[in-house]
């Protein structure tokens, strides 16, 4: 079985002395590729370093997450633009909007989101989009860029309802599910996940956060555990686990331009 963890923060402190073991366990769980997602300049640089050390296995994305935008220096964005040209970078983000923390003033969040959308189009790279309690506002902002055809990107750790899911699908985005879809109180989200077209579905861990059941609460989460999320989704969709593994991995390979065969 081949799995692709499309969203992991392997730059986190939690893995500093433990990354070799974490990657070995991911490999033995069948994980054949992991996206290491940057959320500010430091982690974006580090994501590229990690991808350089594990070519073909780790892939980098670069960006400044909405909650980090308030701390970004004037030069940071220019540096992100330069990093985006690196061949190991397979996506722009994470970016998006966040109504939950509201660390960054709303206008500044929208400004940074806009920059990522433009950069992704320039570089012909998919967007990695973070949503928290403002999915419709994200879709609104993306809509103005979708007129010339479909957007490429992913709504990561999707937690919205079916109406929002349809809006995202109509924009051309893929929908990625993390540990929350496995939680006991996640029945509504599982119903949404069951309806996503098979060729638009991705899986992720969002490590070190949100360990899936039956490991909920065990930190740090790690890429090997994406297998639990896959099994939960396969059950919700009433399809064989192996079939869903193959499909989601092929979807990720196509979106991020990585060999998965
Ligand atoms: Zn993330």
């Amino acid at each position: 079985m081949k799995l692709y963890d499309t969203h992991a923060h392997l730059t986190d402190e939690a893995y500093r002395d433990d990354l070799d073991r974490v990657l070995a366990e991911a490999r033995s769980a069948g994980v054949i590729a992991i996206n290491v997602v940057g959320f500010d300049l430091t982690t974006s640089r580090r994501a590229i370093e990690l991808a350089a050390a594990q070519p073909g296995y780790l892939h980098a994305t670069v960006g400044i997450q909405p909650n980090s935008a308030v701390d970004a220096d004037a030069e940071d964005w220019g540096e992100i633009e330069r990093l985006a040209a690196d061949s190991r970078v397979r996506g722009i983000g994470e970016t998006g909007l966040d109504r939950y923390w509201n660390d960054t003033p709303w206008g500044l969040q929208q400004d940074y989101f806009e920059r990522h959308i433009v950069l992704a189009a320039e570089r012909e790279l998919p967007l990695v989009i973070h949503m928290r309690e403002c999915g419709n506002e994200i879709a609104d902002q993306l809509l103005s860029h979708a007129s010339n055809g479909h957007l490429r990107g992913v709504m990561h750790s999707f937690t919205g309802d079916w109406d929002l899911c349809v809006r995202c699908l109509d924009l051309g985005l893929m929908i990625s599910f993390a540990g929350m879809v496995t939680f006991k109180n996640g029945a509504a989200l599982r119903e949404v996940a069951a309806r996503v077209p098979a060729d638009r579905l991705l899986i992720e861990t969002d490590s070190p956060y949100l360990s899936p059941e039956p490991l909920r609460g065990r930190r740090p989460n790690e890429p090997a555990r994406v297998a639990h999320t896959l099994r939960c989704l396969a059950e919700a969709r009433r399809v064989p686990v192996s079939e869903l593994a193959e499909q989601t991995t092929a979807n990720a390979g196509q979106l991020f331009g990585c060999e998965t065969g």
Side-chain angles (χ1 to χ4, degrees):
M1 204 163 68
K2 291 183 193 167
L3 309 174
Y4 192 134
D5 183 0
T6 61
H7 197 111
H9 296 288
L10 297 183
T11 58
D12 194 273
E13 283 268 310
Y15 310 113
R16 199 177 46 194
D17 302 317
D18 205 23
L19 192 58
D20 290 345
R21 181 197 61 79
V22 166
L23 294 181
E25 290 200 7
R27 283 192 159 96
S28 52
V31 176
I32 61 146
I34 304 167
N35 285 354
V36 182
V37 174
F39 59 84
D40 60 11
L41 180 55
T42 304
T43 54
S44 295
R45 280 193 178 122
R46 181 80 184 121
I48 294 174
E49 285 170 16
L50 289 176
Q54 303 273 342
Y57 195 69
L58 300 182
H59 305 287
T61 79
V62 298
I64 299 176
Q65 208 252 20
N67 300 316
S68 299
V70 71
D71 299 318
D73 293 329
E75 295 86 41
D76 286 8
W77 179 251
E79 189 60 20
I80 291 287
E81 286 181 315
R82 269 192 299 157
L83 293 178
D86 190 293
S87 63
R88 287 154 297 209
V89 172
R90 298 306 175 90
I92 299 298
E94 60 186 285
T95 179
L97 300 170
D98 192 317
R99 280 279 191 208
Y100 180 79
W101 292 108
N102 263 324
D103 292 339
T104 302
W106 189 247
L108 189 60
Q109 290 193 35
Q110 289 178 310
D111 171 30
Y112 268 85
F113 188 26
E114 197 70 17
R115 297 182 202 197
H116 286 80
I117 297 167
V118 171
L119 179 59
E122 279 172 9
R123 288 275 152 215
E124 298 184 342
L125 287 168
L127 280 165
V128 177
I129 302 166
H130 161 103
M131 53 174 288
R132 190 121 189 224
E133 298 184 1
C134 55
N136 277 304
E137 284 152 303
I138 288 171
D140 289 344
Q141 193 166 339
L142 287 168
L143 195 58
S144 60
H145 296 274
S147 52
N148 299 328
H150 277 176
L151 290 164
R152 280 179 66 217
V154 53
M155 287 297 265
H156 113 79
S157 194
F158 186 84
T159 53
D161 61 14
W162 178 244
D163 287 346
L164 177 63
C165 189
V166 168
R167 287 197 75 190
C168 296
L169 291 168
D170 286 347
L171 286 164
L173 300 174
M174 293 211 185
I175 310 294
S176 180
F177 292 93
M180 269 180 291
V181 79
T182 71
F183 292 174
K184 289 190 177 66
N185 60 3
L189 192 56
R190 282 189 288 281
E191 280 175 32
V192 172
R195 296 170 73 182
V196 174
D199 62 351
R200 308 291 285 280
L201 190 69
L202 300 177
I203 53 172
E204 64 171 278
T205 57
D206 203 9
S207 296
Y209 314 108
L210 295 170
S211 285
E213 293 288 1
L215 304 168
R216 184 174 182 181
R218 298 252 291 272
R219 287 200 64 178
N221 191 7
E222 50 183 78
R225 298 180 186 174
V226 79
H228 295 292
T229 302
L230 177 83
R231 269 195 289 278
C232 171
L233 287 174
E235 195 175 311
R237 297 169 66 87
R238 301 170 197 276
V239 296
V241 173
S242 57
E243 180 186 313
L244 198 64
E246 193 174 323
Q247 176 83 60
T248 52
T249 297
N251 294 345
Q254 188 204 13
L255 183 65
F256 298 107
C258 306
E259 283 289 330
T260 56

